[in-house]
Every structure is written in structure tokens, then in C-alpha cells.
Amino acid sequence: MCWRLSAVFVSALLGSLRSSSADSYVLSDDKGLGRDFDGIGGLSGGGATSRLLVNYPEPYRSQILDYLFKPNFGASLHILKVEIGGDGQTTDGTEPSHMHYEDDENYFRGYEWWLMKEAKKRNPDIVLIGLPWSFPGWLGHGKDWPYDFPDVTADYVVKWIIGAKKYHDLHIQYVGIWNERNFDAKYIKLLRYTLDKSGLEEVRIIASDNLWEPIAQSLLLDPELSGAVDVIGAHYPGTNTVPQALKTLKKLWSSEDYSTFNDDVGAGCWARILNQNYVNGHMTSTISWNLVASYYEELPFGRCGLMTAQEPWSGNYVVSHPIWITAHTTQFTQPGWTYLQTVGHLAKGGSYVALTDGKGNLTVVIETMTHDHSVCIRPPLPAFNLTSQTATFNLQGSFASVKELQVWRSQFNFKTQKPSFFEKLTAVKLVNGSFTLDLAEDEVYTLTTITTGTKGSYADPPPSARFPKAYKDNFNAQDPPFSEASNFADQTGVFEYFMNTSDPGPHVFTMRQVVTQRPVTWTADADQTISVIGDFQWKNLTVTCDAFMENVKNGGVFIAARVSKGGEEVRRAKGVFFWVFANGTYSVTSDIGGQTVVTQGKSGTEAFTWYTLSLTVQGQKASGTLNGKLLWTSSVPVEPPNGWAAIGTASFELAQFDNFSVVAE
């Protein structure tokens, strides 16, 4: 979902001189207004993209949240969309379900509840959306498809919405329906029925939360389906919609967009689509995947959030420039405002939108992003030309009496490498209802009657630092605030804090892998479960952990070093994996699938007994101990030369881990 683009593309030299004559544009409500504006948002999930945020110490965690959600401070987001965890790998990790099993309900797992509450603390009016990307295996009844029993799946989703209100006082306003293959009309209707039956008539449905078609045509042909759907959501629409979607008269949203590396080219992508999603496609909401890049950067699509917060161990975070591009719109508009009909493209490239609250306020956002400085991950961006220009805007209709507009500007300055973002300029005085701007390449302007905008700031966070070379966790977290252990990033399976009340010994508090059936998910997750941790650059290290197998027949656990892959690529992970099994054997492999065996033999291990495993990797030599006694030594492959530490299980099975430690050179 992310693409890194160099910020040093050479801009076209054409248009370096200002135009001697201004092109003129009218901003008016004389002929009515356009569509209602529904807000700008960020997406936590799809998957596990906020994983490291919860581990940040204060005050840095609260500062990050302020930059995202606090009104008139930073991004000031209007919408927070979160993943309804389904235990499955959904891009960069797994998020726990509220129902691991059919007879199981728990509404305190994961961190999305906490994140929604923190967003609400800062902005009580923020719109909350939930969307499942995966489902626990029991919903699929052995198939990789959650809609064969649509009533069961609808009940599962509605329980999450009810749980949000009952246990966290969170009112979910929208729920999305997404799958990579197609939408399911029967399920959508059943979900609407189940919501209404549960007293949730106010919860709206976004469908298909993926593509414009075939849902748009189906809405036109099926009145019952049309009555169930409130919003058509598209992912990465390239600022364009389709005629059939417009004919439905439904709200049209870019319900997942951006996904681009958050350097200045990424900020340029965001600036262009925030305007042009409406100018070209009549989309009234744009939601960024993702909210905050708070996962290990070497996982797929690293640093694709509106800002970066991937070092809870140091406290360092980066307020990336997409935050301030967002502020150009969010700090001067609100959901419920309305676009003017008089929006469009500038004569020499770029675009402008204008919105009003219907009470006399007006906000105009202008962008002049060049092609090479505004390329998004997808779809491909057709070539276009943009040159410097002078533009005159004439305010007419109810805005003719406006005398002054506040001015905020961002200049990317790719040539000088000296950007300036979200800078407040001197207010512009209108003459006969008009103002004129000299617009250079790669700029964003906001002109507005709103006077409350602020470029919020805190003292610099601590400097960036690599993950500690010596790290321990005994998981002794009684009443933990979050269900997962600090800094562990689950890639397949779900590893949760566990209090074993039947164990009076040293292993009362452990971390337990709890997923016992392959989830229903769209990615090629591994057949094994795995949670990674640490510094991806680690080469020589010792990993130690206590492990406890709960599967008598086929139980197996591992610790690993130099793990090379995670996220949706986890099935291809290489490294050094030290396994022990309940059948009394051990194995050392160079891949998570166990296909390439380095060495193997007898271990004497069995289920329901604690063992201490230790793995040392030094250059191309490795060794493993069991309960402090050397079990094996062997040469290991040159590749991969580095990677994370990890723990995991041989299949989807119950197993416990305790007293984890790593020492790296």
C-alpha cells in the first residue's frame, strides 16, 4: 500500500516566469451548492498499523495523538476508521478479534478501543468507522469466505458495534463491508436488518468499501439493496468515479487512499488528491491509509502514515508533512459544510475547491502540485503539465461582502530543498470581492474566513535510537492496559497476556498464542504463528524464552533470529528458526515453513511442561540450548544476514511464552 519516491525529482523548467495576466475564477453560491462535505480521516488497521503507538511513554504518546486529532492543532482529523480485528494478517500484522471462538466475547482486546477513546477525548465530534479486513476461522466453517452464513457474520459485526457502546461508550457511526473478491448483496441486507433489529438504525453502511463496481450498478437495480447502503466507498480511486456511482445519488467516498511513503512527494500526493477527489470524482470524504506509521519500518509499506511514530523505546516521532497538508482542509472546515458548485481545475494546472458552512464562512483550498511531486502509490498518474500562474478569484453571491481572508501557505520548494509548511501569511484584503494570487509550482494555499487555525507544536521529542541491544520481558502485567506485550508485532496468530491462575509457580503471567484455527483473510499468511520484535539490522544475537506447548499430539514452538519478512509477506520469512515439538524432537530450519532443515534430532520435549530455549547466532554459526544444556550446533545459511527476533508456534495452536530476552551485538 505504499511507495517511496525521491523528493529530488527535477521539476520542469517551463513556467518559471509568472504569467503577465491572471486567469479568473468565480466562487459563488448563486446557482446553488454542491455536495455535502463529510470530512477527512485516517485509518488505523488493515492491519496493525498503530501497533507501536500504544507502547510510547508519556508525554510523547499524548503529543502524537494531539498532532492527529486535536482540533486547530495539527491534522485535526474529522474521521477515525479502525479495523474490526479478525485475528488474521491484514497487511502489517494481526489484530485480535472480540470473538476468537464462537462462544467467546471480549471487548477489551487490542488497542483500537483505546485509540477511539483518545480521539474522542480530543474531538468529541470525530466520526468513528469500523471495518473488518479478516474474520476468525470459525465464521468461515472451514472455508476462506465469511459470507456463506451471512446471518452469523452480521451478528458478529453488530456485536462489535454494541460492545463499543456498552463497554467503551463509543458510538460507531459507519460500518464498512469489504472483501477483495466482490460484495455480497444478501449479507449487506442482513447486516442492515440486524443493525435495525438491535436498535442501531443510526449506524450507516459503507459498501463495498473497495470498488465502484459492481456495487453501483447493483444499487440501481435493487431497491432493497439501495435502501441498505448509505455510502459507496472506493479504495485508491485515482480521483475518479464512474457514471453509475453518480447515478445512485449516494455519498461517494475515497474510503481508503494515499498509502504513499510520507516524504514530501507523499505529502504532494495527499495535497493533490484531497482536492481532486472532489473536483474530478465528487468524493466528499478521503481517508488515509494509514493514520500513523507506528509499525516496524521494514514491514510492508513502511512509513506510509500521515506521521511516523515507530520508536516507543526512544520516544522519538516525526511530524511528517502530510500532517500539515491535512490541516489546510481540516482546520478550516467541518463535516456538514458544503462544497460550492464553482470548483475546478486551474488553467495552467492544479485545482481549487471552496466550501461553506452556510452561515457566511468560506474556505478555499488551492493546490499546484506538479506530476512528479505528487505521485501516489496507485493508480498510475497520467502525465499532465503545470506551470506557475497568476489567478484571480471573484467572490459572488452571498460571499460578495467578504472583506478579508486569512491565508495559510505550504511551499514544497523541491529545488531549494527548503520547504515551508502551513505558514500563516498576512490576511488578504478583497477589492470589489476579488483577490489575486501568484501561484508557483508545488504550493498549497488555504484562504478562509475562519480565524482559529494554529500550527501546533511541542518541544522536540527525544532523538531517534535503535531498539535496545539488551531487552527483557517477563510479561508480569497484572490488569494490563493492552492485551499484547510491548513491542511484539504479531504477524500470524495473536499473542496475548495470559494469567494462568492454575499455576502457582513462576509462570502465572505469560504471553499466550490463542488462535487455534486459520482465520478468514485475504493475505497469504503463514501456516505457523509468529510475533516479531527488535531491530531488523540485528545480525549476531542470543534469543532466550521459556515455552509451554498445549497441543499434545502435534504441538510445536520456536524461537528465531534474523527473521527477514513479516506482514503479508510473512509466509516467505527466512532466518534461523529453533523448534521443539511435543513428540520429543527438535528441528532447526532456515525458513518459517520448515522446508529447509539445517539440523534435527531428539529433544525429549513434551506438552504441558515448561522449557527454556536459547538460540545464539554468530556469523554463519548457530547453537541452541534446552534448559541450559547444549542441544545442537550447526552452520547456517549466509542469507538472510540480518532480521528480527521472534517467537511462534508450529501451527494454529495454544502455547505460552515467558521470560523473553534478547542480547544483540
Side-chain angles (χ1 to χ4, degrees):
M1 294 185 185
C2 176
W3 193 16
R4 184 192 301 243
L5 290 169
S6 170
V8 294
F9 278 111
V10 178
S11 297
L13 295 179
L14 296 176
S16 59
L17 300 176
R18 301 285 184 177
S19 172
S20 59
S21 60
D23 294 294
S24 185
Y25 309 91
V26 172
L27 302 176
S28 175
D29 57 359
D30 276 342
K31 296 183 179 180
L33 297 172
R35 292 189 170 218
D36 289 343
F37 174 65
D38 294 308
I40 307 301
L43 204 167
S44 174
T49 54
S50 305
R51 176 65 193 90
L52 296 175
L53 176 61
V54 298
N55 303 140
Y56 265 80
E58 293 293 353
Y60 310 115
R61 189 172 69 181
S62 289
Q63 292 173 6
I64 295 165
L65 293 165
D66 285 350
Y67 279 115
L68 293 168
F69 300 117
K70 186 177 179 180
N72 301 314
F73 188 84
S76 306
L77 291 169
H78 304 135
I79 298 169
L80 173 59
K81 182 177 179 179
V82 304
E83 178 171 354
I84 300 175
D87 294 340
Q89 169 60 248
T90 54
T91 299
D92 287 297
T94 65
E95 298 198 30
S97 171
H98 56 291
M99 296 179 69
H100 292 316
Y101 322 111
E102 193 167 3
D103 58 352
D104 165 61
E105 287 186 56
N106 185 319
Y107 298 93
F108 294 92
R109 296 179 181 132
Y111 42 83
E112 303 294 7
W113 311 109
W114 163 82
L115 183 59
M116 287 188 283
K117 287 188 285 189
E118 290 296 323
K120 276 285 187 183
K121 283 181 188 177
R122 289 160 175 79
N123 178 7
D125 296 324
I126 197 164
V127 174
L128 299 178
I129 304 173
L131 174 68
W133 270 260
S134 70
F135 298 87
W138 62 268
L139 270 173
H141 294 270
K143 297 181 181 179
D144 192 28
W145 184 247
Y147 303 119
D148 283 344
F149 300 89
D151 54 333
V152 176
T153 302
D155 184 64
Y156 167 84
V157 171
V158 170
K159 281 181 176 176
W160 183 87
I161 297 171
I162 293 172
K165 182 65 177 177
K166 180 177 180 180
Y167 296 101
H168 302 284
D169 196 27
L170 294 168
H171 171 49
I172 307 299
Q173 284 115 307
Y174 292 89
V175 61
I177 297 167
W178 177 84
N179 66 75
E180 204 168 57
R181 304 177 202 171
N182 202 339
F183 73 98
D184 189 290
K186 184 177 179 181
Y187 170 70
I188 294 172
K189 296 173 186 178
L190 264 170
L191 179 60
R192 180 71 269 161
Y193 170 79
T194 307
L195 287 166
D196 294 346
K197 184 181 68 173
S198 303
L200 298 169
E201 295 89 349
E202 74 282 1
V203 178
R204 305 303 181 190
I205 291 177
I206 305 170
S208 63
D209 212 339
N210 185 14
L211 300 170
W212 297 124
E213 293 290 13
I215 184 69
Q217 180 65 24
S218 297
L219 293 176
L220 293 172
L221 298 175
D222 186 338
E224 184 183 1
L225 181 64
S226 181
V229 173
D230 298 275
V231 178
I232 304 178
H235 292 190
Y236 311 99
T239 76
N240 294 307
T241 186
V242 297
Q244 298 300 83
L246 291 168
K247 289 178 182 178
T248 67
L249 303 181
K250 299 291 184 183
K251 290 178 178 292
L252 308 179
W253 289 6
S254 179
S255 53
E256 182 179 320
D257 214 329
Y258 174 60
S259 300
T260 303
F261 191 82
N262 61 18
D263 60 5
D264 282 357
V265 173
C269 153
W270 188 231
R272 178 176 55 80
I273 65 177
L274 282 180
N275 264 23
Q276 295 194 27
N277 274 349
Y278 185 75
V279 171
N280 299 339
H282 298 281
M283 286 166 269
T284 55
S285 177
T286 299
I287 299 174
S288 165
W289 189 92
N290 56 66
L291 172 73
V292 52
S294 201
Y295 47 100
Y296 291 115
E297 186 167 337
E298 295 83 3
L299 288 168
F301 319 117
R303 262 186 63 189
C304 283
L306 296 177
M307 64 180 291
T308 303
Q310 58 191 21
E311 291 186 15
W313 47 87
S314 72
N316 178 262
Y317 62 86
V318 180
V319 185
S320 308
H321 290 156
I323 289 288
W324 304 119
I325 293 302
T326 311
H328 271 283
T329 299
T330 54
Q331 288 202 23
F332 310 107
T333 61
Q334 291 297 323
W337 282 45
T338 307
Y339 285 99
L340 304 191
Q341 289 187 22
T342 49
V343 302
H345 291 277
L346 299 169
K348 295 179 176 63
S351 65
Y352 64 97
V353 295
L355 304 95
T356 181
D357 65 353
K359 302 175 183 178
N361 283 309
L362 176 70
T363 291
V364 183
V365 185
I366 304 164
E367 60 81 20
T368 59
M369 296 308 305
T370 57
H371 178 281
D372 289 349
H373 296 149
S374 65
V375 179
C376 302
I377 176 181
R378 56 183 171 183
L381 181 61
F384 64 84
N385 294 320
L386 186 148
T387 60
S388 301
Q389 56 197 295
T390 301
T392 296
F393 291 87
N394 301 300
L395 275 59
Q396 298 178 11
S398 63
F399 310 113
S401 60
V402 173
K403 302 299 183 185
E404 180 181 89
L405 292 171
Q406 307 300 310
V407 183
W408 293 80
R409 181 183 66 187
S410 291
Q411 294 180 309
F412 285 75
N413 290 326
F414 283 97
K415 292 179 181 178
T416 65
Q417 296 292 296
K418 295 180 180 179
S420 172
F421 280 87
F422 205 57
E423 177 186 10
K424 193 174 192 305
L425 306 182
T426 302
V428 63
K429 305 290 185 181
L430 274 68
V431 177
N432 297 323
S434 297
F435 65 90
T436 298
L437 291 176
D438 287 334
L439 300 171
E441 297 176 357
D442 300 320
E443 293 186 330
V444 179
Y445 277 88
T446 298
L447 296 102
T448 180
T449 57
I450 301 296
T451 60
T452 51
T454 306
K455 187 172 185 178
S457 64
Y458 287 109
D460 289 342
S464 175
R466 304 209 72 90
F467 196 95
K469 290 184 177 180
Y471 182 84
K472 294 182 178 180
D473 195 338
N474 61 12
F475 312 126
N476 289 354
Q478 194 166 7
D479 298 321
F482 309 108
S483 59
E484 300 103 327
S486 296
N487 302 320
F488 278 89
D490 302 344
Q491 301 303 304
T492 306
V494 173
F495 296 75
E496 296 179 342
Y497 283 120
F498 179 64
M499 183 175 179
N500 188 351
T501 56
S502 64
D503 187 345
H507 300 295
V508 174
F509 298 99
T510 68
M511 187 160 70
R512 191 186 201 198
Q513 199 297 117
V514 297
V515 179
T516 57
Q517 186 178 0
R518 174 179 290 281
V520 178
T521 185
W522 56 276
T523 61
D525 59 348
D527 295 317
Q528 304 73 25
T529 73
I530 180 172
S531 187
V532 302
I533 189 170
D535 189 333
F536 189 77
Q537 300 306 317
W538 280 343
K539 297 180 179 179
N540 301 321
L541 65 157
T542 296
V543 184
T544 303
C545 192
D546 296 346
F548 182 87
M549 293 173 278
E550 300 182 53
N551 184 340
V552 175
K553 292 184 178 181
N554 302 305
V557 295
F558 68 82
I559 59 175
R562 297 182 182 172
V563 176
S564 66
K565 297 287 184 182
E568 59 188 13
E569 300 173 344
V570 68
R571 179 175 284 270
R572 299 191 289 113
K574 305 289 186 181
V576 182
F577 295 81
F578 173 24
W579 314 72
V580 296
F581 300 97
N583 65 4
T585 65
Y586 77 90
S587 179
V588 181
T589 69
S590 60
D591 63 311
I592 192 173
Q595 299 302 305
T596 305
V597 177
V598 174
T599 186
Q600 59 188 356
K602 298 290 185 181
S603 62
T605 49
E606 60 185 10
F608 297 102
T609 300
W610 280 99
Y611 298 98
T612 299
L613 308 179
S614 186
L615 167 66
T616 298
V617 183
Q618 188 79 28
Q620 267 52 71
K621 295 293 185 181
S623 62
T625 68
L626 179 67
N627 292 340
K629 295 181 179 181
L630 183 66
L631 184 62
W632 59 271
T633 60
S634 182
S635 297
V636 293
V638 174
E639 298 293 337
N642 53 271
W644 297 290
I647 60 174
T649 64
S651 64
F652 290 94
E653 61 185 275
L654 297 175
Q656 296 180 56
F657 301 87
D658 202 2
N659 297 320
F660 175 87
S661 71
V662 60
V663 178
E665 292 184 2

